[in-house]
Amino acid sequence: MSERRTLFDAFGGTRKMADTLGEAPSTVQSWKSAGRIPAGRQPAVFDKAAELDLGVTAEDIIWPMGREVAVARSEDCEVVA
């Protein structure tokens, strides 16, 4: 995937991704809002992306909004010891 393009963009948006995967649009929207694909769904998402030749990598599945976003979010978290 090219820089600044999310996994959801690669599928053509959340509604199109939902249709492609046989999921409710609200389910895929919740993935986007959370910034993660549930672990149990990741293989199916990856397989469908590969089938459609979307140029998606395993990293794109793990960090669907981009790794930079995930790293920024983790840095914003307070660590309590």
Side-chain angles (χ1 to χ4, degrees):
M1 266 182 1
S2 65
E3 288 186 46
R4 295 189 184 170
R5 195 174 85 155
T6 71
L7 174 66
F8 306 96
D9 295 333
F11 273 91
T14 55
R15 186 168 296 279
K16 189 166 181 185
M17 183 176 181
D19 291 343
T20 301
L21 297 171
E23 297 283 352
S26 59
T27 299
V28 176
Q29 182 60 48
S30 71
W31 297 350
K32 185 175 182 180
S33 295
R36 68 185 243 356
I37 308 297
R41 295 297 295 137
Q42 290 177 3
V45 174
F46 184 77
D47 290 345
K48 183 55 79 171
E51 177 185 318
L52 297 172
D53 196 25
L54 299 180
V56 170
T57 67
E59 184 172 306
D60 297 324
I61 302 295
I62 295 168
W63 291 292
M65 301 304 288
R67 190 173 189 163
E68 300 80 23
V69 173
V71 171
R73 285 184 181 171
S74 67
E75 289 174 354
D76 291 340
C77 296
E78 182 180 334
V79 177
V80 179

